[in-house]
Amino acid sequence: MKITDEELFILKRMYRESHNDPTREGSQYEVVWIPKSTPWTHAKQDQIENCQLRMPWYSVYHPLMIDSAVIAYIKKVWNFKENPILVVIDPEGKVINNNALHIIWIWGSLAFPFTSSKEAELWEHETWTFEFLAGSIDAAIPIWRAEDNYMCLYGGGDMDWIKKFTSTAQRVAEAIRIKLQILYVGKSNPGEQIRENISIITVEKLSYSLQDLTLVWVFWQRLKSVKQSKMQLKPTVQNDPIMQEINTILSFDEKDEGWAVFCRGSAMAMAKSEIILQCLTNFDLWRKYMNDQDFVIALNHYNRKFSLAQLIESQHLDNMF
């Protein structure tokens, strides 16, 4: 019963997209919702009926129809606690995945038949790119890529920093005559603050922005799912660029500070709030070293140099280590 509106939105979108073409391999599955609700009340009945009306798949008509032994089995064998799980059962009735939600948040119906082996296979073909980071969160991203634009994804809750960052980034782009597309993705667990930020960004035309808090939630949930999937398959960040970069972005989100990722082609540069802002502010100091280098490559080099200089100047032994 704890399924959120955001989770329901994504599951419905995936289900309808995959079932639009019944001949497609990724459409060969069905979903059955098993609502568990104790103690039983009329208010719970209204809640269940409301959920059923919003679900395009099957559901158990009434929770009291579920035998207590079945509930005990789901808790003990499927390890169900409170949050929704999506258990995958093959045509022979065998459980092949105790919870496929995280791979669905990452790949959607491309993860069909939602097995661990399919998950491992998908990871074999993934690399750390802007497209992987952004996923299908905004329809404009493939267009920007096709037009060979520079792209920037940024987040955080500090509106003052957002205004400084976007104006500085656009000023640098104008100075070197590049087309830079900037997209705001907010913070995980978005609330009224992020809604207000999106409104200000849109009204003042500071940059592009995800217009729906559900999409903001989806972006961050996908990153958390990437970490969960990686930890299950290979519980180490060593020699795993995707895990390293995802952990970095998630660490930025723990505070209210901003962060940004710049990209063009396969080149990427990423840093947190004050560092990336200072790198852009200092652009006149390093633009002469660009020569034939791509702007993102040059920015990444300066970012590393600037960050190292800050560590060397630091008085904190932890930072030196």
Side-chain angles (χ1 to χ4, degrees):
M1 292 298 298
K2 285 195 172 184
I3 187 167
T4 65
D5 290 341
E6 292 83 3
E7 289 170 317
L8 191 54
F9 170 82
I10 295 303
L11 289 173
K12 283 168 62 177
R13 187 174 71 174
M14 184 197 80
Y15 181 86
R16 284 172 173 157
E17 287 176 353
S18 62
H19 283 70
N20 279 340
D21 181 4
T23 63
R24 179 178 164 191
E25 181 188 19
S27 69
Q28 304 305 308
Y29 68 91
E30 273 302 342
V31 178
V32 180
W33 181 44
I34 303 178
K36 175 188 173 295
S37 181
T38 54
W40 180 248
T41 64
H42 289 293
K44 291 286 180 66
Q45 173 68 33
D46 293 340
Q47 185 183 359
I48 285 179
E49 290 178 357
N50 180 56
C51 281
Q52 288 173 328
L53 289 173
R54 298 163 62 197
M55 292 177 174
W57 46 74
Y58 299 97
S59 65
V60 175
Y61 177 70
H62 197 290
L64 295 182
M65 298 174 65
I66 306 170
D67 193 277
S68 59
V70 175
I71 295 175
Y73 178 88
I74 290 174
K75 286 181 176 180
K76 183 176 180 180
V77 180
W78 290 357
N79 199 32
F80 171 79
K81 293 181 174 60
E82 293 183 350
N83 296 321
I85 59 174
L86 200 153
V87 180
V88 185
I89 303 173
D90 70 12
E92 284 72 44
K94 179 182 178 182
V95 172
I96 55 176
N97 195 328
N98 280 354
N99 191 3
L101 272 182
H102 67 281
I103 62 175
I104 285 176
W105 298 147
I106 302 171
W107 292 289
S109 57
L110 290 177
F112 180 84
F114 315 115
T115 61
S116 297
S117 58
K118 181 63 177 182
E119 180 181 8
E121 177 189 331
L122 288 167
W123 275 127
E124 288 178 2
H125 298 93
E126 290 291 0
T127 56
W128 178 245
T129 62
F130 188 89
E131 286 77 8
F132 176 77
L133 169 62
S136 58
I137 201 67
D138 194 286
I141 292 176
I143 299 174
W144 295 343
R145 183 62 185 264
E147 294 174 349
D148 203 26
N149 292 333
Y150 287 85
M151 296 179 286
C152 173
L153 214 63
Y154 76 103
D158 186 343
M159 198 64 225
D160 289 336
W161 177 85
I162 288 172
K163 290 183 176 181
K164 291 177 184 176
F165 168 74
T166 52
S167 62
T168 305
Q170 289 167 354
R171 188 164 59 248
V172 169
E174 290 171 3
I176 55 176
R177 298 178 181 178
I178 63 172
K179 193 167 183 180
L180 176 65
Q181 308 289 3
I182 309 175
L183 178 66
Y184 178 64
V185 295
K187 287 177 60 66
S188 63
N189 301 317
E192 193 57 35
Q193 177 196 21
I194 301 303
R195 190 191 304 276
E196 291 177 3
N197 285 358
I198 290 173
S199 178
I200 294 171
I201 290 168
T202 303
V203 171
E204 299 186 14
K205 298 181 179 180
L206 302 179
S207 72
Y208 290 98
S209 175
L210 297 179
Q211 293 298 303
D212 191 323
L213 289 188
T214 297
L215 294 178
V216 174
W217 179 90
V218 169
F219 172 82
W220 288 99
Q221 183 60 39
R222 184 171 175 274
L223 296 193
K224 294 174 184 177
S225 297
V226 168
K227 181 175 181 178
Q228 180 184 351
S229 176
K230 283 285 186 178
M231 290 296 292
Q232 288 180 356
L233 294 175
K234 185 172 61 175
T236 176
V237 299
Q238 187 177 5
N239 300 322
D240 191 331
I242 293 179
M243 188 69 161
Q244 292 169 358
E245 302 294 0
I246 292 295
N247 277 342
T248 299
I249 294 176
L250 291 176
S251 71
F252 292 162
D253 185 62
E254 291 173 358
K255 300 178 181 179
D256 211 35
E257 63 183 350
W259 58 273
V261 177
F262 287 84
C263 172
R264 187 188 184 211
S266 60
M268 296 180 71
M270 176 173 66
K272 63 181 180 179
S273 57
E274 292 308 316
I275 291 180
I276 194 67
L277 182 57
Q278 196 61 52
C279 287
L280 295 173
T281 302
N282 295 348
F283 177 63
D284 287 335
L285 299 178
W286 54 275
R287 67 179 298 177
K288 60 185 176 182
Y289 297 112
M290 285 181 58
N291 296 325
D292 295 329
Q293 285 191 86
D294 181 88
F295 164 70
V296 175
I297 296 175
L299 172 62
N300 197 35
H301 287 170
Y302 185 77
N303 169 36
R304 292 174 183 273
K305 179 181 177 180
F306 183 79
S307 300
L308 180 59
Q310 282 204 324
L311 286 177
I312 292 174
E313 292 172 4
S314 172
Q315 298 292 320
H316 299 288
L317 190 61
D318 287 346
N319 285 347
M320 286 301 295
F321 279 124

